[in-house]
């Protein structure tokens, strides 16, 4: 770790200690002891600032609460970890975490009728409207992760024994959301290119109808799946769904927040996104958006009445269990939103970088990309069993040799020890970093006498 990174954490922590003194003091009064603590704190911060400026000093703080390491992965390394890329926070989100970290911090100005999405200070209610329009849907709610979005929908639509169509590349959370509702998943097979098509979906609907005597009650398909990040025919599938009058859930865990998503244009009844995967938000966060047609069902309000007290809870929404993302999780999501709204327009550039990196990896003889190619996404699955894995077989560190080599060059996030089939994600890396990653892979290949074919164009310097 760069000592300046360590010292930046130390300065932030030391400022928090000053903040704590202010929290403990009486309103507008600090006693002599507190004055002293503040002065000590300020001196400490000042010293740390000097160390940041000069790149000096030694680590003084190694743990939070004696047991939790400082996490400086994003400061210290280039992180190509497949699920972390687009969930990295914006500086605004990190500031929001500091300011709104207290438990129910969002609830300061919660007024009747007491529901999270009605709060106007901070601007949570407008944020909900912006989220819906961002996805071109009518109504949106924040949820603790895409999975909780699936759950709200399955719990509403799926009864015991009902079938739900998912993709053969569906995420496990889709299985679990159906399972919890006591439904059964029915997978649409992929074609020879690992793509889910509209025709295959229609065929599966017919199969389910014949086998069970009933139509599936929901179709839930990922726009880009988590295994290959291949693009599936989401619009065609939505059309098929509507021909059969089956509601369609668009799983945008890998799209909402990184590329433009237009729910109405897609023909989605539900759009689900993941805050911590693709919206530069703290976990657990996500979005569930729907149409005016479905909103009253999915976001139905409580009807329950206490038998003793006769209490009722009015407009609290059952599937949301009243309120969802309290505190800094939501405010962090909101703080990143202006950036997120803009960044989706840079998607083509992100895809270019993804292709540049994959092309670079493919210059190492024997390398393969298992995802569709050229890439349409920043997440990719590659196969290096015919180059780096052959080296691993004869290396005393086995598969770890590659992670060792990469991390010594400041690159982390590929599955440690995996040299056959693994995934990486270039989302949000600058061109400079993407070029650096390619150069590093080529250098490692050359070091181990693997054949590297040609140059990677726009770089030229190798
Ligand atoms: C990551 C992922 C999910 C789960 O998202 P959470 O927000 O963590 O619940 C669901 N589906 C797909 C396709 C994913 O990639």
């Amino acid at each position: 770790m760069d000592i300046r990174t360590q010292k930046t954490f130390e300065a932030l922590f030391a400022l928090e200690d000053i903040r704590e003194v202010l929290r403990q003091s009486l309103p507008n009064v600090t006693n002599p002891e507190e004055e002293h603590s503040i002065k000590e704190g300020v001196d400490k911060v000042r010293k740390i600032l000097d160390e940041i400026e000069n790149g000096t000093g030694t680590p003084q703080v190694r743990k939070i609460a004696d047991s939790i390491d400082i996490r400086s992965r994003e400061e210290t390394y280039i992180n190509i970890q497949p699920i972390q890329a687009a969930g990295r926070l914006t500086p605004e989100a990190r500031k929001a975490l500091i300011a709104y970290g207290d438990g129910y911090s969002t609830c300061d100005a919660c007024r009747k009728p007491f529901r999270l999405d009605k709060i106007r200070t901070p601007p949570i209610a407008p944020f909900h409207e912006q989220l819906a329009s961002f996805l071109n849907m009518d109504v949106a709610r924040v949820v603790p992760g895409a999975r909780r979005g699936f759950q709200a929908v399955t719990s509403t639509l799926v009864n015991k024994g009902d079938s739900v169509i998912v993709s053969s590349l569906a995420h496990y959370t889709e299985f679990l959301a159906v399972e919890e509702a006591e439904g059964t998943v029915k997978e649409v097979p992929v074609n020879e290119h690992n793509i889910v098509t509209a025709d295959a979906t229609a065929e599966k609907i017919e199969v389910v109808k014949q086998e069970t005597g009933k139509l599936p009650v929901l179709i839930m398909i990922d726009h880009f799946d988590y295994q290959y990040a291949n693009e599936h025919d989401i619009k065609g599938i939505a059309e098929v769904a509507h021909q059969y009058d089956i509601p369609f859930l668009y799983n945008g865990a890998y799209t909402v927040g990184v590329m433009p998503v237009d729910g109405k244009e897609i023909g989605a009844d539900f759009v689900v996104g993941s805050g911590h995967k693709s919206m530069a938000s703290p976990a657990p966060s996500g979005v569930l958006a729907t149409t005016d047609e479905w909103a009253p069902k999915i976001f139905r309000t409580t009807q329950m009445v206490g038998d003793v007290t006769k209490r009722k809870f009015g407009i609290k929404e059952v599937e949301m269990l009243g309120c969802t993302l309290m505190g800094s999780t939501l405010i962090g999501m909101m703080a990143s939103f202006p950036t997120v709204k803009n960044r989706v327009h840079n998607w083509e550039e992100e895809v270019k970088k993804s292709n540049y990196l994959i092309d670079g990896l493919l210059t190492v003889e024997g390398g393969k990309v298992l995802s569709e190619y050229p890439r349409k996404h920043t997440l990719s699955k590659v196969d290096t069993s015919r180059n780096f894995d052959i080296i691993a077989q004869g290396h005393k560190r086995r598969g770890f040799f590659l992670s060792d080599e990469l991390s010594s060059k400041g690159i982390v996030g590929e599955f440690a020890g995996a040299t056959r089939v693994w995934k990486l994600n270039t989302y949000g890396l600058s061109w400079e970093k993407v070029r650096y990653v390619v150069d590093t892979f080529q250098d490692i290949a050359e070091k181990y006498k693997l054949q590297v074919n040609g140059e990677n164009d726009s770089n030229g310097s190798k």
Side-chain angles (χ1 to χ4, degrees):
M1 197 195 310
D2 187 325
I3 190 67
R4 287 171 300 182
T5 299
Q6 167 72 30
K7 290 294 163 185
T8 300
F9 279 103
E10 289 182 12
L12 288 166
F13 296 170
L15 286 169
E16 282 294 336
D17 291 335
I18 296 175
R19 183 183 180 192
E20 184 60 18
V21 177
L22 296 170
R23 285 184 161 213
Q24 296 301 333
S25 67
L26 284 174
N28 299 316
V29 200
T30 36
N31 64 36
E33 206 180 308
E34 288 160 348
E35 288 294 341
H36 180 73
S37 298
I38 292 171
K39 177 151 190 340
E40 263 185 5
V42 169
D43 288 344
K44 188 170 168 187
V45 174
R46 198 170 276 132
K47 179 165 169 277
I48 300 170
L49 294 180
D50 288 340
E51 290 172 324
I52 296 175
E53 186 173 39
N54 301 317
T56 54
T58 53
Q60 300 296 313
V61 183
R62 295 206 180 265
K63 304 275 185 190
I64 302 165
D66 293 333
S67 62
I68 304 162
D69 288 327
I70 293 172
R71 181 175 185 270
S72 62
R73 191 165 260 253
E74 302 295 347
E75 290 78 8
T76 308
Y77 299 102
I78 295 176
N79 186 8
I80 56 172
Q81 211 271 6
I83 68 174
Q84 291 181 336
R88 274 190 286 260
L89 298 185
T90 59
E92 286 69 29
R94 294 199 297 276
K95 291 170 197 170
L97 287 187
I98 294 177
Y100 279 84
D102 293 313
Y104 283 117
S105 62
T106 38
C107 310
D108 297 336
C110 184
R111 305 278 178 267
K112 263 194 164 159
F114 302 122
R115 205 172 74 196
L116 182 78
D117 58 292
K118 305 278 187 196
I119 295 172
R120 302 208 74 86
T121 316
I124 296 170
F127 175 63
H128 280 77
E129 282 154 31
Q130 290 157 21
L131 264 183
S133 81
F134 174 61
L135 299 170
N136 195 18
M137 296 294 278
D138 301 322
V139 188
R141 294 286 181 270
V142 291
V143 288
R147 63 196 70 199
R148 296 291 181 176
F150 310 149
Q151 183 187 40
V153 175
T154 55
S155 156
T156 302
L157 297 184
V158 182
N159 291 312
K160 194 168 180 159
D162 285 344
S163 303
V164 176
I165 300 261
V166 299
S167 135
S168 284
L169 297 170
H171 196 256
Y172 78 92
T173 53
E174 297 172 69
F175 273 52
L176 270 53
V178 174
E179 182 168 1
E180 200 197 32
E182 299 189 72
T184 310
V185 295
K186 302 286 184 183
E187 298 171 277
V188 184
V190 291
N191 68 13
E192 70 274 23
H193 305 297
N194 288 318
I195 305 282
V196 182
T197 65
D199 285 347
T201 307
E203 274 171 40
K204 189 70 187 198
I205 294 170
E206 287 298 333
V207 169
V208 170
K209 193 172 142 193
Q210 274 183 0
E211 280 177 357
T212 69
K214 280 196 308 183
L215 283 174
V217 296
L218 176 67
I219 298 176
M220 174 158 51
I221 304 282
D222 326 335
H223 188 175
F224 285 85
D225 67 88
Y226 77 101
Q227 298 192 44
Y228 299 97
N230 287 350
E231 183 173 28
H232 305 286
D233 181 14
I234 225 69
K235 268 177 85 169
I237 293 167
E239 218 175 286
V240 167
H242 292 305
Q243 278 161 14
Y244 284 92
D245 214 15
I246 303 170
F248 174 64
L249 185 152
Y250 168 95
N251 181 354
Y254 267 114
T255 56
V256 171
V258 293
M259 60 183 275
V261 171
D262 184 328
K264 291 270 166 73
E265 210 229 353
I266 292 161
D269 297 288
F270 310 102
V271 172
V272 173
S274 172
H276 47 261
K277 186 176 270 155
S278 298
M279 302 174 78
S281 302
S285 60
V287 56
L288 165 61
T290 188
T291 58
D292 283 332
E293 181 195 348
W294 285 105
K297 299 182 183 73
I298 302 297
F299 302 133
R300 67 196 173 282
T301 54
T302 173
Q303 304 298 314
M304 195 63 70
V305 184
D307 64 336
V308 173
T309 61
K310 301 289 179 262
R311 288 176 308 150
K312 296 185 286 194
F313 293 95
I315 67 156
K316 296 282 205 253
E317 292 167 349
V318 178
E319 293 296 346
M320 301 293 110
L321 292 172
C323 299
T324 54
L325 306 187
M326 308 92 173
S328 59
T329 308
L330 174 57
I331 305 302
M333 191 183 189
M334 287 167 53
S336 276
F337 190 60
T339 305
V340 164
K341 235 170 39 181
N342 281 325
R343 78 182 192 178
V344 299
H345 301 299
N346 300 332
W347 179 240
E348 276 177 27
E349 191 70 8
E350 293 293 337
V351 172
K352 265 190 211 154
K353 286 184 273 184
S354 171
N355 275 298
Y356 178 89
L357 193 136
I358 294 299
D359 289 343
L361 279 180
L362 293 179
T363 61
V364 182
E365 183 83 27
K368 280 197 294 196
V369 55
L370 301 179
S371 304
E372 64 183 341
Y373 177 83
R375 300 296 304 121
K376 297 181 193 166
H377 202 277
T378 57
L379 168 69
S380 302
K381 187 182 239 179
V382 296
D383 180 349
T384 53
S385 47
R386 310 247 315 272
N387 50 39
F388 291 115
D389 191 57
I390 293 174
I391 305 300
Q393 315 252 331
H395 198 286
K396 62 179 187 308
R397 291 278 293 152
R398 291 281 168 175
F400 289 96
F401 101 91
L402 186 59
S403 9
D404 293 349
E405 290 284 356
L406 287 171
S407 65
S408 78
K409 291 284 195 283
I411 299 169
V412 295
E414 92 306 339
F415 194 72
T419 40
R420 290 185 197 126
V421 171
W422 50 281
K423 296 192 279 189
L424 77 163
N425 197 334
T426 57
Y427 190 81
L429 299 186
S430 63
W431 272 109
E432 194 185 10
K433 285 186 174 176
V434 170
R435 289 198 185 99
Y436 177 90
V437 173
V438 168
D439 289 350
T440 303
F441 271 102
Q442 291 175 336
D443 289 347
I444 297 169
E446 277 164 4
K447 174 174 170 186
Y448 289 95
K449 307 280 185 287
L450 292 168
Q451 176 75 31
V452 179
N453 299 316
E455 313 288 304
N456 208 292
D457 44 17
S458 52
N459 172 23
S461 65
K462 267 204 63 77

